[in-house]
Amino acid sequence: MTPTTNLFLNETEPQQFKAGQTIFSEGAPGDFMYGVIEGEVEIRKDGKVVDTVGPGGIFGEMALIDHTARSATAVAKTDCKAAQIGEKRFYFLVQQTPNFALHLLRILTDRLRHKNHA
């Protein structure tokens, strides 16, 4: 279990998504990021799956970091449960939870490396 998973296990109001449900679409404004508690979410760019995020993973964070529109579409691959994290909570997690900040940096680094090798 990753440190991020532990942050969201006690989520009091997790969002539920059915398999095939669009969570957000490319080009839409992004007010939230998500931490996957259960299930899997596909990240799609131009209709192609570019990543699959499972329990403990996060997605949608770029919109909170740079305040731009969504760069991809997120679709529930399976029925899933995710913590919805707004900007205020995001900043709190980055500032007060070093494991979260480190996990976030690792995810962004992995995505950048993957894109550079694609």
Side-chain angles (χ1 to χ4, degrees), residues 18-28 40-53 58-60 62 69-78 111 114:
K18 294 287 185 191
Q21 182 178 351
T22 298
I23 299 168
F24 58 73
S25 298
E26 184 175 350
E40 293 184 314
V41 175
E42 289 182 340
I43 307 302
R44 300 177 183 175
K45 181 78 173 163
D46 301 322
K48 297 177 187 173
V49 176
V50 295
D51 198 6
T52 300
V53 182
I58 58 174
F59 63 98
M62 287 175 50
R70 299 287 188 189
S71 63
T73 298
V75 178
K77 181 177 181 180
T78 64
R111 289 180 186 162
H114 177 74

Side-chain angles (χ1 to χ4, degrees), residues 52-91:
T52 300
V53 182
I58 58 174
F59 63 98
E61 73 288 338
M62 287 175 50
L64 291 181
I65 293 170
D66 65 7
H67 301 286
T68 59
R70 299 287 188 189
S71 63
T73 298
V75 178
K77 181 177 181 180
T78 64
D79 287 353
C80 61
K81 188 183 334 181
Q84 187 178 54
I85 301 151
E87 189 173 44
K88 183 177 179 181
R89 184 169 177 201
F90 174 75
Y91 287 137

